[in-house]
Amino acid sequence: MEIEGSVALVTGANRGIGLAFARALLSRGAAKVYAGTRQPEELKEPGLEPLLLDVTNQQHIEAAAAKATDANIVINNAGIQAGPPLLHGSLDGARLEMEVNYLAPWAIARAFAPVLAANGGGVLVNMLSVASWRANNRFPGYAASKAAEWSLTNALRLGLRDQGTVVIAVHVGFVDTDATRAIDLPKVTAAEVADKTMLGILSNDPEVLVDEPARRVRSLLSGSLDLLYPTP
């Protein structure tokens, strides 16, 4: 799909990967970018159209779909990592991860499916993770929520095919954002995630593997479990 002249909505667009998505869309000639955020009054980025959108609030979602009736690109980017380690701590954070990372993209997709259909089909992008495929005992709730979102993405690809909507899954390892500041491992930039996603949109690719960790883990999915989870 062509990005030049398009109208896009990005959730969680106030910072990090979401802001990088919004900037990348504008730099490639998008006519309008709705920047979904819980605090639109704080968004000062030039060229964006702030839009009140807490992705866990159904009224916000419905209002966003009613306002952004011209959207033909929707990027489900908003996400959270809030859960406990595997064997201790409250499960409230894990429940929130499921709400934000899985149920919210589902609700957004439901609300915007008719909008995308009315605008020629368009593109729906879900921001996923290597954690969609590989469990992590430090962040088990996050990984589970991303695995659920991956399954949802595949279901949406089937369910929206007849209306001409291209559904794209974006997978990546660690990204250099506020959320990963304390993690001392190699990271890609949010701009790189956005740039490769734009190429995926232009090419109608169903899957964007941003970095080497994403490509490596994806290649291991057909192998035995000891390749994904080697014994230390």
Side-chain angles (χ1 to χ4, degrees), residues 4-232:
E4 187 171 358
S6 67
V7 176
L9 170 100
V10 181
T11 70
N14 57 307
R15 61 179 180 174
I17 299 172
L19 183 55
F21 278 140
R23 287 170 172 168
L25 288 159
L26 286 177
S27 72
R28 285 161 177 79
K32 185 189 300 183
V33 178
Y34 295 101
T37 173
R38 290 178 295 174
Q39 298 170 314
E41 68 282 356
E42 296 185 5
L43 186 65
K44 307 301 183 185
E45 184 74 14
L48 301 181
E49 184 159 333
L51 184 65
L52 175 63
L53 183 54
D54 177 342
V55 296
T56 65
N57 186 314
Q58 186 60 33
Q59 290 182 326
H60 285 192
I61 293 171
E62 292 172 1
K67 180 175 177 60
T69 56
D70 48 355
N72 53 9
I73 297 174
V74 174
I75 300 182
N76 270 320
N77 164 76
I80 192 171
Q81 184 177 306
L86 185 62
L87 297 178
H88 58 87
S90 168
L91 292 177
D92 288 348
R95 293 187 181 94
L96 182 59
E97 286 169 332
M98 279 294 183
E99 184 73 24
V100 175
N101 299 342
Y102 168 52
L103 294 175
W106 192 352
I108 293 283
R110 281 182 168 185
F112 277 90
V115 174
L116 292 172
N119 293 317
V123 174
L124 174 68
V125 177
N126 281 351
M127 185 64 218
L128 298 168
S129 169
V130 166
S132 308
W133 300 319
R134 193 176 190 280
N136 186 317
N137 62 4
R138 291 175 59 198
F139 316 113
Y142 177 79
S145 69
K146 286 299 181 179
E149 189 183 2
W150 180 45
S151 180
L152 169 68
T153 303
N154 292 330
L156 289 167
R157 188 174 295 116
L158 297 174
L160 299 179
R161 180 181 294 163
D162 287 347
Q163 71 173 42
T165 299
V166 175
V167 177
I168 299 175
V170 180
H171 296 271
V172 67
F174 289 115
V175 182
D176 190 11
T177 65
D178 292 344
T180 63
R181 186 176 297 161
I183 297 174
D184 186 20
L185 289 170
K187 304 166 192 173
V188 297
T189 65
E192 184 175 352
V193 176
D195 287 342
K196 292 193 174 179
T197 301
M198 297 303 112
L199 293 177
I201 292 173
L202 289 168
S203 303
N204 290 333
D205 291 333
E207 194 170 68
V208 175
L209 306 178
V210 174
D211 58 0
E212 181 55 31
R215 292 186 287 272
R216 179 174 57 82
V217 174
R218 181 68 171 88
S219 72
L220 296 175
L221 291 182
S222 61
S224 62
L225 280 178
D226 60 354
L227 293 176
L228 268 178
Y229 304 107
T231 303

